[in-house]
Amino acid sequence: MMADIKQYFSTLAPKWRAYRSKRAYYWNQITRFVSFYMNPGQSVIEIGCAAGDMIAQVPGRRKVGIDFCPELVEQAREAHPDVEFHVMEAENITLSEKFDVILLSNLTGYLMDIELVLDQVAKLCHPHSRVIITSYNRMWEPLISFAELIGLKRKGPEQNWLSKDDMRNLLSLTGFETYRTNSSMLVPFNIPLVAPLFNRIISHLPLMGYVSLNDYIFARPMPEDGHASDDWRTRYSVSVVIPARNESGNIRAAVERLPEMGSHTEIIFVEGNSTDDTWQEIGRVCKEYEGRRDVKMAQQDGRGKGDAVRKGYAMASGDILMILDADLTVPPEDLPKFYRAIATGKGEFINGVRLVYPMEKGSMRTLNTLGNHFFSSLFSWILETPIKDTLCGTKVMFRKDYLRLAAGRSFFGDFDPFGDFDLLFGAHKLNLRMVDLPIRYRERKYGTTNISRFRHGLLLLKMSAFAATKIRFR
């Protein structure tokens, strides 16, 4: 069978440009989709690159393509001199370099031993590498066979037809964790009005993924068992940002109850527009704990929690950034759980969840609870990742990832007064592994909530529509 596949591509090579040009719309849609999750600073390799059109178009500071067909690789070198190409079989990759992103686009259908190839892919990975696999949805097998029969598609050799579950299982067997799957495209031809409607909108509606043409799988190397040693306990320093508006009665408790984490814990209060003595209380607490805790203070320049978080993050020096709401409804004592989750590699963006354990009486009003459940379902669909509680104030990520998020903030713009969605959308765009962490939600002991159910609920709906156009319906 492998000899037949090699012969097929060698025979096709002289006609490859014309063949690809006729199907440019289909391939450009795939390239556009995967490019969303990549950035110009990454190193990228495509396995099975053919004549190199995809690897040439995706963003990246260093690009490498490999393919087993010498004729196609020669075409790639001539057409894309800025990309490095090698004649190399996917089953025997001899490169020693590690890459940030490894692409396998419509390749798995032609492999004799997918598990063997994934073992080779693992050699190209560092702990934070991403593997992006695209393939035909197996539901389309009869349609593609029919298209070959009537000449709409060139007849190719017999393929593997794998479901997403099949691929997820093979990835798991070879040491990879699948953290996101997606499907898109209902019309593979550029039919004006029809193709954009079906491919950019309808194919992304709930349940349509079952019948869309292209499957996408995102995977990363499984993290090493961080609990096997205690190295993670002191591996990273931590900055905890506490936005505070009218929270004078909670300032001292926040410092007293916040545990030391990692190699060092920095506490940053950011006060904004309070009508009580919150700012003065922060000053008193900072002075009292001088020499005992690393406590800093600042006043925000604008308004809203999002502005306060950005101010605090700009001041932060820790390896890991955390948010703790000053109302202390998320107990400070729970923050070490977030540190453990991110320090041991279980996730790269840890999102607190208040909707798993029973809440203390009075901690959240019924209408707020219903709204949180609704928006968690909506944003889980938008972000293609289960996010059970979008508005929990505690979110944790690495500072290095936040700096990349901030550098690319212009993609979404400065739209989020809460701060939660700026981070959630940015983490999705950075292709980070997002993990929910359940906590017990406590009743507020001082002050009143700053959330307006109806005004902020309407704002959330507007933000949902905006996010859908930028992520789902792009």
Side-chain angles (χ1 to χ4, degrees), residues 116-284:
L116 173 60
V117 171
L118 292 176
D119 283 333
Q120 297 295 301
V121 169
K123 299 187 330 189
L124 304 174
C125 292
H126 55 69
H128 302 289
S129 294
R130 293 294 181 268
V131 179
I132 303 178
I133 300 173
T134 81
S135 61
Y136 291 134
N137 182 344
R138 67 180 304 166
M139 295 288 290
W140 275 66
E141 181 179 4
L143 288 175
I144 290 176
S145 298
F146 180 71
E148 291 179 340
L149 180 65
I150 65 175
L152 284 178
K153 182 183 183 300
R154 183 184 177 93
K155 184 170 178 59
E158 186 178 357
Q159 288 196 56
N160 307 311
W161 289 90
L162 286 79
S163 68
K164 283 189 240 185
D165 286 339
D166 293 331
M167 201 66 235
R168 186 184 288 110
N169 182 58
L170 284 165
L171 285 160
S172 177
L173 289 170
T174 50
F176 291 96
E177 175 192 31
T178 300
Y179 61 92
R180 182 186 300 123
T181 63
N182 203 321
S183 299
S184 71
M185 192 175 292
L186 291 167
V187 180
F189 306 105
N190 188 15
I191 303 173
L193 300 180
V194 174
L197 173 64
F198 278 81
N199 294 335
R200 297 186 63 177
I201 298 177
I202 295 177
S203 74
H204 296 289
L205 295 176
L207 303 180
M208 295 307 296
Y210 291 106
V211 294
S212 292
L213 172 57
N214 292 322
D215 285 341
Y216 297 88
I217 293 183
F218 297 80
R220 65 171 187 154
M222 284 184 184
E224 296 180 3
D225 184 5
H227 299 282
S229 69
D230 289 337
D231 291 350
W232 62 272
R233 298 181 186 277
T234 56
R235 189 177 302 161
Y236 303 107
S237 58
V238 179
S239 294
V240 181
V241 173
I242 308 178
R245 179 175 179 268
N246 296 332
E247 299 287 0
S248 175
N250 291 322
I251 302 303
R252 183 179 303 278
V255 177
E256 289 176 350
R257 294 170 54 188
L258 185 64
E260 285 285 340
M261 294 170 285
S263 59
H264 177 71
T265 300
E266 172 185 60
I267 304 171
I268 303 173
F269 285 100
V270 183
E271 187 276 336
N273 310 295
S274 295
T275 56
D276 65 2
D277 66 337
T278 296
W279 177 245
Q280 291 76 18
E281 178 65 10
I282 292 172
R284 287 190 288 268

Side-chain angles (χ1 to χ4, degrees), residues 230-439:
D230 289 337
D231 291 350
W232 62 272
R233 298 181 186 277
T234 56
R235 189 177 302 161
Y236 303 107
S237 58
V238 179
S239 294
V240 181
V241 173
I242 308 178
R245 179 175 179 268
N246 296 332
E247 299 287 0
S248 175
N250 291 322
I251 302 303
R252 183 179 303 278
V255 177
E256 289 176 350
R257 294 170 54 188
L258 185 64
E260 285 285 340
M261 294 170 285
S263 59
H264 177 71
T265 300
E266 172 185 60
I267 304 171
I268 303 173
F269 285 100
V270 183
E271 187 276 336
N273 310 295
S274 295
T275 56
D276 65 2
D277 66 337
T278 296
W279 177 245
Q280 291 76 18
E281 178 65 10
I282 292 172
R284 287 190 288 268
V285 170
C286 282
K287 185 173 181 180
E288 179 181 338
Y289 278 87
E290 187 174 358
R292 291 189 289 158
R293 300 293 303 266
D294 184 3
V295 186
K296 298 179 173 63
M297 59 188 293
Q299 286 183 302
Q300 68 183 98
D301 305 307
R303 302 185 69 85
K305 178 185 170 183
D307 178 78
V309 168
R310 290 189 284 274
K311 176 87 172 185
Y313 277 10
M315 297 170 57
S317 61
D319 300 316
I320 294 171
L321 304 179
M322 300 186 177
I323 304 170
L324 176 67
D325 283 347
D327 60 13
L328 305 187
T329 51
V330 173
E333 295 85 357
D334 280 352
L335 290 188
K337 297 179 181 179
F338 290 83
Y339 175 83
R340 180 177 63 183
I342 198 167
T344 57
K346 298 301 183 288
E348 296 156 320
F349 183 93
I350 314 300
N351 180 62
V353 177
R354 303 164 295 176
L355 307 176
V356 173
Y357 298 123
M359 301 181 190
E360 286 189 351
K361 185 178 180 180
S363 59
M364 186 181 292
R365 291 173 289 186
T366 301
L367 194 58
N368 290 38
T369 302
L370 294 174
N372 273 306
H373 281 292
F374 168 77
F375 283 111
S376 70
S377 298
L378 180 58
F379 280 98
S380 294
W381 170 73
I382 292 172
L383 296 173
E384 306 160 350
T385 302
I387 298 291
K388 194 172 181 66
D389 187 2
T390 56
L391 284 173
C392 179
T394 303
K395 291 175 171 56
V396 176
M397 66 190 306
F398 283 106
R399 182 170 174 268
K400 62 181 177 60
D401 289 327
Y402 175 75
L403 294 175
R404 292 196 295 136
L405 184 154
R409 185 170 277 132
S410 60
F411 180 82
F412 291 106
D414 186 8
F415 68 97
D416 176 21
F418 304 103
D420 300 283
F421 302 97
D422 174 58
L423 300 179
L424 284 167
F425 298 161
H428 177 82
K429 182 73 169 64
L430 290 177
N431 208 6
L432 301 183
R433 173 70 163 105
M434 303 167 76
V435 173
D436 277 349
L437 195 156
I439 48 89

